[in-house]
Amino acid sequence: MSEITKSELDRRSLLRRAAAVGLAATPAVGMLSACVGGGAEETANQATGTKSADNPLGIDPKKPVEIVIFDGGLGTKYATDVDTPMYKKKWPESEVKFTATQEVSTIVQPRLNAGDAPDMINNSGAKMMDFGAIVAAGQAQDLSELFAAPSFDIPGKTVAQTLVPGAVEQGSYDGKPFAVNYSYTVFGLWYNATLFEKNGWTVPATWADFTALCDKIKAAGVVPFGYAGSNAAYYMVRALLTSAGKIGTEQVLKDIDNLKPGAWTAPAVLEAAKAWGEIGTKYLEKSFLGLKHTEVQLRQNQDKIAFYPCGSWLENEQAKDTPPGFKYAVAPYPSVTASDKLPATAINAAAGEIYFASSKGKNPRGGMEYLRVMLSKQAALEFTKLTKSLTVVAGASDGIEISPGLNSANDAITKAGKDVFMGYLFDTWYKKLHDESLSAVNDLMFNGGDAQKFCDRMETAAQALAKDSSVKKQTRS
C-alpha cells in the first residue's frame, strides 16, 4: 500500500464514484458552459446583494433563509449541527429558519403552489413531491449559477469542479440543473455479517446459491428476506430493476426511462420479475405487506430477518436500534441467469436524495447559497461522519475512519470496478409511473409472484404515460 501515492488513491476513489454516478462521460463543468446562460435573466432579477468574490451569488446578507429537511434515514443533525452553523458563520446577520418533516409534500406543496415556498427543500421520503412536475411548473430554481460559482472552501475550483462527474447532470432536466442529488448511495442486499459468520452462511453470487441459502436460513427459524410493503416498496422496485440491469445491461433501464415501447416486457425485466416473484412466494413473510420500513428493519436488528434490500442510509437510520455486535454489510444482488451480461459483482450505486432551491420563495439566492455550503468539503465530510453516507463532493471523506456498513459498501464498489451502474430515473421524472411500480411490485411479491402480470401492468402504465401530452417527457442517452 505504501507504494501507492495518495493522489493515485484519490483518483481511484473518484473514478469509482464517477462510474457509480453513471454519467462520467460528460464532465459536469462542460455541461455548465453550455447552459449557464439558460436561466441568467431570471436569476439576475433575483439578485439583492452585491456580487463579489466573497458573495458570488449576490445574496442579501441580512435576508432570512428558510429550509425544510426530510427527517428520515439521514436524520437532520447534518443540517442543524453543520450546515446551518456554517451558513450563519458566513452570514451572521441572516436568520435560518429550520423545519424537519417526514411529510414533505404535505408541508411544502401547498406553499409552492401559493408562491410562498421555503428557500431550500430536501424532497425525499414516502411523501416526496413530484419533482418533474415542480420543474415543469417553474417552481424550482435553475442552479446553473450555483454550479458555476466558486467552491465554498476549495480554492480555485467552481462548485461543479468539486463534484464527481455526472452529479450535475443527474439533477438536470432539458439540459439545465435544478436539483442537487447530494447523498451517494450503494444499493444491495443488507445483512448482519456477525449472524452470517456465526451460522457459516456464505453470501450468494448466483440465484441458485441465493435460494439454497434462503432454504438454510428458513430452516434455522429466520425469515430469509423481507421489506415493508406499506411504505418501502421502492426498495423492492430497485432490487428487481437492478437484477434486470445485470441481466441485460443498463440499457434495459434506459429504455424504461425513455418510455420505449416494450421496455417493461423485455426478457431481462421478465426474468428478473420471475426470480424475485419466487423469492416473494417462498421466503417473504406475508404480514410485511402492512408494516413500515422501520418495523421490518428492527426485526433485522433482532436477527429475525436475514436479507433486506436497501441503500446505504440503512446503517445510520437504524443506529439507535442496532445492538452491540451487529455488523451491517452489503452484497450485490446475485446473478439471475448464467448468461447475465454484467457480473455478479456489478452493483447499483448513485447520487440521490434531492435538494433544491425554490424559485418562488422569498430568498431563492439564499437557498442556493445554503446549497453551496452543503457542497463544501467541510460540510460533506461532517455529513459522512454523522450519517455514514458518502456525498457527491469528490474525495471529501478520503482517509476517515468509517463504519462497518460503509466499509462494506466501499468494498463492494471496489470489487465492482467498471461494473457500477446508476440505475433508473423514471421514479423522479414521472411520479404516477413510480406510484404504479410500488403497487405492482407489492402485488408481485405478496400475491402470487405473477411476473408476466407485473410486466404487462407496468408496460400499460408506461405507454399510457407516453401518450399523455400533458406530461413533460424526459430522455436519457
Side-chain angles (χ1 to χ4, degrees):
M1 179 65 74
S2 60
E3 295 177 4
I4 302 174
T5 67
K6 183 179 185 299
S7 62
E8 286 173 330
L9 286 171
D10 291 346
R11 180 176 178 276
R12 291 182 187 184
S13 175
L14 174 59
L15 289 174
R16 286 198 302 270
R17 293 174 64 191
V21 173
L23 297 166
T26 305
V29 70
M31 185 279 290
L32 283 172
S33 67
C35 74
V36 71
E41 183 177 346
E42 176 191 353
T43 52
N45 291 336
Q46 296 172 355
T48 53
T50 302
K51 286 190 176 183
S52 65
D54 194 51
N55 186 8
L57 296 175
I59 75 165
D60 181 343
K62 298 181 180 180
K63 201 166 188 176
V65 62
E66 182 182 2
I67 65 168
V68 173
I69 301 292
F70 172 65
D71 186 4
L74 299 173
T76 62
K77 285 180 70 66
Y78 67 91
T80 58
D81 295 9
V82 179
D83 301 336
T84 295
M86 286 180 64
Y87 186 95
K88 286 286 294 178
K89 183 177 180 180
K90 177 72 173 178
W91 309 108
E93 295 181 273
S94 174
E95 176 191 358
V96 178
K97 182 180 178 181
F98 167 82
T99 300
T101 182
Q102 292 186 348
E103 299 191 352
V104 177
S105 61
T106 304
I107 298 296
V108 177
Q109 192 71 64
R111 295 186 58 189
L112 275 173
N113 295 340
D116 180 36
D119 303 305
M120 198 287 291
I121 301 148
N122 171 204
N123 184 37
S124 186
K127 295 284 187 177
M128 70 185 296
M129 300 177 291
D130 183 343
F131 191 67
I134 288 171
V135 172
Q139 296 170 330
Q141 178 79 5
D142 182 343
L143 300 181
S144 297
E145 283 194 72
L146 164 66
F147 291 118
S151 163
F152 192 81
D153 64 356
I154 302 177
K157 290 190 176 183
T158 66
V159 171
Q161 289 170 334
T162 67
L163 309 182
V164 294
V168 176
E169 290 90 336
Q170 199 167 340
S172 295
Y173 292 70
D174 290 335
K176 290 183 182 180
F178 290 97
V180 173
N181 287 15
Y182 187 67
S183 177
Y184 177 74
T185 302
V186 178
F187 296 94
L189 280 172
W190 289 83
Y191 62 98
N192 177 11
T194 302
L195 176 68
F196 274 56
E197 291 163 7
K198 175 184 174 183
N199 288 281
W201 297 337
T202 302
V203 173
T206 69
W207 211 259
D209 291 340
F210 186 27
T211 55
L213 178 58
C214 285
D215 286 332
K216 288 182 181 179
I217 292 170
K218 190 174 182 178
V222 178
V223 176
F225 177 84
Y227 78 95
S230 174
N231 68 344
Y234 157 75
Y235 302 169
M236 193 60 235
V237 174
R238 184 166 286 274
L240 190 157
L241 291 183
T242 297
S243 292
K246 293 178 75 164
I247 294 169
T249 78
E250 194 171 13
Q251 186 61 48
V252 172
L253 309 183
K254 291 179 180 180
D255 290 344
I256 285 175
D257 285 343
N258 292 332
L259 305 179
K260 181 180 176 181
W264 281 98
T265 52
V269 182
L270 182 60
E271 285 281 358
K274 285 178 179 177
W276 281 111
E278 180 187 6
I279 297 298
T281 300
K282 294 183 177 179
Y283 307 113
L284 176 63
E285 181 68 50
K286 303 307 179 188
S287 65
F288 292 176
L289 177 61
L291 297 185
K292 294 182 178 179
H293 66 297
T294 49
E295 294 173 310
V296 178
Q297 289 163 194
L298 178 60
R299 294 192 186 195
Q300 185 180 42
N301 292 144
Q302 297 167 342
D303 285 338
K304 296 177 180 178
I305 298 170
F307 286 116
Y308 184 73
C310 197
S312 48
W313 63 77
L314 174 64
E315 185 177 34
N316 184 66
E317 186 169 48
Q318 291 302 109
K320 66 180 177 60
D321 293 315
T322 304
F326 189 105
K327 293 194 301 184
Y328 272 111
V330 64
Y333 294 111
S335 297
V336 174
T337 75
S339 58
D340 282 11
K341 292 184 179 179
L342 295 180
T345 52
I347 201 162
N348 173 213
E353 201 72 16
I354 292 173
Y355 297 77
F356 73 100
S358 168
S359 61
K360 305 300 183 184
K362 294 182 177 68
N363 190 7
R365 291 186 170 273
M368 285 199 291
E369 178 69 359
Y370 197 94
L371 289 171
R372 191 168 77 100
V373 170
M374 288 183 65
L375 292 169
S376 67
K377 188 171 184 177
Q378 179 184 346
L381 172 60
E382 294 303 322
F383 177 91
T384 297
K385 289 179 179 178
L386 284 169
T387 68
K388 303 180 180 68
S389 296
L390 298 170
T391 73
V392 293
V393 180
S397 59
D398 287 352
I400 70 165
E401 189 173 325
I402 49 180
S403 61
L406 200 51
N407 271 324
S408 177
N410 277 337
D411 184 52
I413 292 170
T414 301
K415 289 177 179 176
K418 63 180 178 60
D419 296 309
V420 183
F421 59 101
M422 183 181 73
Y424 52 87
L425 296 171
F426 78 89
D427 58 331
T428 57
W429 284 353
Y430 309 116
K431 187 176 187 299
K432 189 174 181 180
L433 188 61
H434 170 59
D435 290 345
E436 183 71 6
S437 74
L438 305 183
S439 177
V441 84
N442 274 345
D443 195 33
L444 171 73
M445 296 299 291
F446 289 101
N447 295 317
D450 191 332
Q452 190 65 58
K453 179 182 175 183
F454 170 84
C455 292
D456 290 343
R457 177 177 175 177
M458 291 308 303
E459 178 68 14
T460 299
Q463 290 315 299
L465 176 65
K467 294 170 184 174
D468 186 349
S469 60
S470 69
V471 178
K472 173 72 174 175
K473 306 303 190 299
Q474 304 293 330
T475 57
R476 178 182 171 199
S477 59

